[in-house]
Amino acid sequence: MRTLLWLIPALPFAGFFVLAVFGARLREKGVAAIGAGSVGVSAVLAILAGISFITSPPPGGSWTQTLWTWIGVDGFRPAIAFYLDALSLVMTLVVTFVGFLIHLYATEFMSDDEGYSRFFAYMNLFVGSMLTLVLADNLLLLYLGWEGVGLCSYLLIGFWYKDPANGSAAMKAFIVTRIGDAAMAVGLFLIFMNLGTLNIQEIMQKASHTWPRGSGLAVAAAALLLGGALGKSAQLPLQTWLPDAMAGPTPVSALIHAATMVTAGVYLIARTNVLFLLAPPVQAAVAIIGAATLLLAGFSALTQRDIKRVLAYSTISQIGYMFLALGVGAWSAAIFHFMTHAFFKALLFLGAGAVILAMEHEHDMFRMGGLRKELPVTFWTFLIGSASLSALPLVTAGFYSKDLILWYSWSSENGSPWLWAAGLAGALLTSIYTFRMVFLTFFGERKKEAGRRPGRVMTIPLVALAVLSVIGGFAELPRTLGNMPVFSEFVNTVLPPVKAAGEAQSAEAAMQVVTSFVSLAGVYVAYLLFLRKRRYVEGLAATRTGRALHRLWFSGWAFDWVYDRALVQPFFWIARINRDDFVDLFYDGIAWYNGFFHGALSLTQSGKVRWYAMGIALGTVIMVGIAVVLL
């Protein structure tokens, strides 16, 4: 399987090429077979590679496959090469398998859309770029995949480009993430200039031997990489693009949030963990940013009416948990939560898509209601995904991964009661806004008859992801429930184990009880406020303070307002003032002189042969005279 590693990203790229060139001539079934099939075969190859990797561990714990040298300049020789270890294997399996289920779902969801082949071409390119990112053995190739997913997010968010709002959302995502990408690019230059390589494994070795812990260069390199991660993973202060990204088709939202783009920042930090361990201030900043983001996004999710925007803010919050784990040194816990989050968040987005389709593209939850009997499969699978997102104890994957993060935010050497309290408050908010969404959508008075029901092709991914949202957490049972750290033992062959403070098992059990109580309490609060006694919420929202808080949270804490007035409007103002700057005058002058000489020369085109003959004769005399003088 090692020699076939390149096929895993190559197949989605091949699907993109075929669909981009021949897609308009293919029937819908042919497009679906190529679009979903290429990712499906890639998933099968990833599973076979995983089986081979686990049953026959390679020497050194990794595979490397070099295809060719990309650039060769004065000792700088980055290669097109793929690197598979425990971390990249987990990422590859999630990207391909969850990505395949989303593609399969989309073959029915997007049927009859006029851009059907274009949609799957972009989706294949998206998956191929993400696989390039996670399998790259050097930061330059990783950056190529990084920019590839950024391009695909622009293409897919603005897929329905005839609506100007969708084009604006796509541009916003592209521009905001470019800020982080610029920081990351500077970081790559800094790393290469000081360590002489962009090979990831060589960087980790040289950095640990060259840079003392806390050195300025290590802090600068880690901070610049963190800037890139903040943009791609939509964390403070670059989170504003993700809610607007809901303008794209629902399968796009599922792919961005569950398996590809927003998890790229988590992977980058985990992959370059040595740099962050050498930069304690930056690692602490990762934890603080994650804790702040998960709280701010949780409050915003409480006020949204659009079912997809609730899930968008939820993703920002859950990625915040992953950053919190990375910041306290719980590397394996962050990747574990990435895996479980991919399952239940993909499920929730696909379930939301089924609801939106049944409601004739209605997104407002307050115009839904009473759908649990009309859409039974969608309801039960959506309920399972909601339970996992809310971390309901013992029976959901989200419980085990989120509990692990909360435990380490308390017990690790880098943890603190404040970080734990932020995570616990976020867990309460998560349960409330998640079951608010469930109760408003599926319970209460029915506002509208359900139209189109999901067919078998849409139902299969929902059921598969629902199963994974339950059993996925059993890969890492805590000490209090059997101590089966299968997942952490596997990824800790690559990632450093967490440095725990040695808390007693009884303390961990007490924390789990508190976490479980908070999750269940959130469900009960949502039941009271949004199903039984909604008039109290409406009355509170009608007060002056309630209206102010609602506006603040609904707007995403007014970040867009601040950025618009602090950056966007001043930029346009300066551009208007500087419309005729000296640079334009220089080029305008060149254009004027060209126009002048053109006009002068055009006068010689009179159409009179005798003038042409005289001009030739005069020119000949002048040239002969010059030759005589020179000789």
Side-chain angles (χ1 to χ4, degrees), residues 345-370:
K345 190 52 64 66
L347 171 59
L348 289 170
F349 266 110
L350 299 187
V355 170
I356 291 168
L357 210 58
M359 293 288 99
E360 299 177 351
H361 300 283
E362 177 61 68
H363 289 227
D364 191 340
M365 296 181 295
F366 287 85
R367 297 179 181 176
M368 300 176 186

Side-chain angles (χ1 to χ4, degrees), residues 147-197:
E147 291 301 311
V149 296
L151 169 64
C152 293
S153 69
Y154 170 77
L155 296 173
L156 285 165
I157 293 168
F159 179 76
W160 289 316
Y161 58 88
K162 293 181 180 179
D163 185 345
N166 296 341
S168 297
M171 287 189 288
K172 181 178 181 180
F174 194 78
I175 293 170
V176 172
T177 55
R178 292 289 76 70
I179 297 170
D181 293 356
M184 182 179 172
V186 175
L188 299 191
F189 281 109
L190 186 149
I191 290 170
F192 178 73
M193 292 301 295
N194 288 275
L195 300 179
T197 182

Side-chain angles (χ1 to χ4, degrees), residues 433-475:
Y433 72 66
T434 301
F435 276 86
R436 168 184 179 264
M437 178 173 56
V438 171
F439 293 137
L440 291 176
T441 304
F442 293 100
F443 289 82
E445 180 184 352
R446 186 169 58 192
K447 309 291 193 310
K448 186 178 181 181
E449 293 289 336
R452 179 180 169 185
R453 268 72 168 178
R456 183 181 302 175
V457 176
M458 288 176 61
T459 301
I460 291 172
L462 293 176
V463 174
L465 289 167
V467 172
L468 291 172
S469 296
V470 173
I471 67 173
F474 299 150

